[in-house]
């Protein structure tokens, strides 16, 4: 099934709801120099809150472009998805968009032209000049497409994309999409007030040296936990204590801990959260546990929840 908008759909965030009445950080000359060096987008426009202190964030998840390209049904679904995306963008006028995984159904696409689907699915955002960033899912890792190929194509064809590749050695094979996007209360502020974190839960399939299809590990790699802790330390050094910074995290495959949380959800107050029961294959570290063990996502989850202060939500798809 093609799901055009994630469970949360639209965030309307208030600066004061995120950081309270705390004033933006006042930086020393040394910190100001550090924050310039830390800015990952020196040549892109700054993402910032509106003058009224709000920030609209739209989430598209599980777009699954490229299904059944050999008949009329698949391209027709992609056409309809583009209509809905355009309608949502016109309705919500978001300040930023997160595409939260499974952009492409890799097992259905043709290897020769699969990356061209990135051109198609990002076209509404490019045409409307909407800044966005992507996380990647299990269907984005296949013999016909990989997370890295999608990242590289997005950077090539989508000028409003803020998607980045993780530093070398971070994320493991098939998990290159780990990065963060700063959001400022005011465009002229020296330090951001909100960090959008994007994490790569890997998963999917690849070919081994014998040409056989094998599973890719289905959790955020331990190397990301080390990288995350180091990034937080650099942020604190450059921008001061994290009290004035809020955070949102995006990852495609839900963390394993979500299985125990699901039964506690109120379906009236939180409709849609319980329609798909979480279990083997639908949360991290649940595929091929006989070979890999279980709870392999725990080191990253522990680092995330202990190091990222003011984390308001972890948004997943799958």
């Amino acid at each position: 099934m093609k799901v055009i908008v994630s469970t949360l759909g639209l965030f309307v965030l208030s600066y004061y709801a995120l950081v309270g009445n705390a004033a933006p950080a006042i930086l020393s000359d040394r910190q100001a120099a550090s924050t310039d060096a830390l800015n990952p987008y020196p040549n892109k426009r700054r993402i910032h809150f509106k003058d009224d202190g709000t920030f609209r964030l739209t989430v598209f998840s599980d777009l699954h472009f490229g299904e059944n390209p050999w008949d009329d049904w698949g391209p027709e679904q992609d056409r309809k998805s583009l209509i809905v995306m355009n309608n949502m963008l016109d309705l919500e006028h978001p300040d930023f968009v997160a595409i939260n995984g499974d952009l492409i159904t890799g097992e259905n696409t043709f290897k020769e032209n699969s990356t061209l689907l990135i051109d198609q699915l990002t076209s509404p955002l490019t045409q409307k000049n909407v800044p966005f960033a992507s996380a990647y899912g299990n269907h984005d890792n296949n013999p016909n497409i990989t997370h890295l190929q999608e990242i590289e194509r997005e950077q090539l064809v989508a000028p409003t994309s803020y998607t980045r590749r993780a530093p070398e050695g971070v994320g493991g094979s098939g998990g290159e999409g780990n990065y963060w996007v700063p959001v400022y209360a005011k465009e002229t502020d020296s330090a951001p007030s909100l960090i959008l974190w994007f994490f790569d839960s890997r998963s999917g399939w690849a070919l081994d040296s014998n040409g056989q299809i094998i599973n890719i590990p289905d959790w955020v790699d331990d190397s990301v936990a080390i990288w995350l802790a180091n990034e937080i330390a650099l942020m604190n050094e450059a921008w001061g204590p994290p009290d004035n910074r809020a955070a949102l995290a995006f990852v495609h495959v839900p963390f394993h801990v979500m299985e125990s949380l699901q039964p506690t959800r109120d379906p009236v107050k939180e409709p849609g959260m319980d329609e798909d029961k979480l279990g083997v294959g639908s949360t991290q570290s649940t595929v091929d546990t006989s070979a890999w063990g279980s709870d392999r996502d725990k080191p990253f989850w522990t680092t995330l929840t202990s190091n990222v202060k003011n984390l308001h939500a972890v948004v997943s798809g799958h």
Side-chain angles (χ1 to χ4, degrees):
M1 177 182 294
K2 292 171 71 76
V3 181
I4 194 71
V5 181
S6 75
T7 305
L8 295 178
L10 170 69
F11 290 94
V12 181
L13 305 174
S14 163
Y15 170 78
Y16 297 104
L18 290 172
V19 297
N21 293 318
I26 299 176
L27 306 182
S28 67
D29 291 341
R30 177 173 173 273
Q31 286 177 315
S34 297
T35 190
D36 288 342
L38 197 57
N39 179 13
Y41 305 102
N43 299 317
K44 284 186 175 288
R45 57 172 159 152
R46 282 188 167 194
I47 309 302
H48 60 89
F49 283 66
K50 290 187 176 72
D51 291 341
D52 64 2
T54 61
F55 183 78
R56 281 181 174 258
L57 175 64
T58 297
V59 183
F60 295 113
S61 185
D62 294 84
L63 293 167
H64 282 283
F65 272 68
E67 293 191 350
N68 290 38
W70 50 81
D71 60 27
D72 294 335
W73 181 86
E76 176 64 9
Q77 305 315 302
D78 294 345
R79 187 188 70 82
K80 291 178 179 178
S81 292
L82 290 172
I83 291 173
V84 175
M85 290 180 73
N86 276 296
N87 288 343
M88 294 296 289
L89 294 173
D90 290 340
L91 176 67
E92 297 178 352
H93 300 290
D95 300 300
F96 199 83
V97 166
I99 305 179
N100 206 24
D102 280 358
L103 287 68
I104 293 172
T105 301
E107 63 269 29
N108 278 181
T109 60
F110 298 122
K111 188 178 183 66
E112 292 74 18
N113 60 2
S114 57
T115 57
L116 295 180
L117 293 164
I118 295 294
D119 306 37
Q120 186 178 5
L121 68 91
T122 60
S123 61
L125 300 158
T126 299
Q127 291 166 6
K128 297 179 186 297
N129 200 31
V130 178
F132 72 98
S134 301
Y136 298 93
N138 50 305
H139 289 279
D140 296 307
N141 263 336
N142 269 273
N144 293 333
I145 193 72
T146 66
H147 290 190
L148 182 56
Q149 288 173 330
E150 292 191 24
I151 292 169
E152 291 176 342
R153 185 66 185 181
E154 192 175 305
Q155 291 176 328
L156 179 65
V157 303
T160 62
S161 170
Y162 284 68
T163 301
R164 292 186 284 136
R165 179 181 179 177
E168 196 71 32
V170 174
S173 178
E176 294 84 0
N178 299 282
Y179 61 97
W180 52 272
V181 179
V183 180
Y184 299 84
K186 297 180 180 178
E187 188 175 8
T188 55
D189 283 353
S190 299
S193 297
L194 171 65
I195 302 295
L196 305 178
W197 292 96
F198 291 81
F199 300 117
D200 198 321
S201 50
R202 301 187 290 174
S203 193
W205 304 269
L207 294 178
D208 66 11
S209 58
N210 296 317
Q212 300 298 308
I213 293 179
I214 58 172
N215 289 319
I216 296 173
D218 60 329
W219 64 88
V220 178
D221 189 67
D222 292 359
S223 61
V224 183
I226 298 170
W227 167 81
L228 174 61
N230 289 337
E231 291 294 288
I232 293 293
L234 290 172
M235 290 176 179
N236 291 342
E237 181 181 0
W239 302 326
D243 301 336
N244 297 329
R245 294 193 304 276
L248 294 172
F250 299 88
V251 64
H252 183 67
V253 182
F255 290 99
H256 196 186
V257 68
M258 297 304 176
E259 286 188 38
S260 61
L261 293 176
Q262 188 176 49
T264 68
R265 297 288 184 179
D266 185 332
V268 176
K269 294 180 180 179
E270 297 157 313
M273 294 293 287
D274 300 309
E275 291 182 5
D276 292 325
K277 184 172 177 57
L278 298 176
V280 175
S282 60
T283 58
Q284 292 185 37
S285 190
T286 56
V287 173
D288 204 2
T289 55
S290 60
W292 293 327
S294 58
D295 289 328
R296 293 296 302 273
D297 60 330
K298 192 171 182 179
F300 177 78
W301 175 255
T302 300
T303 301
L304 174 67
T305 54
S306 61
N307 283 271
V308 180
K309 307 303 181 183
N310 300 322
L311 180 61
H312 285 255
V314 177
V315 187
S316 58
H318 206 37

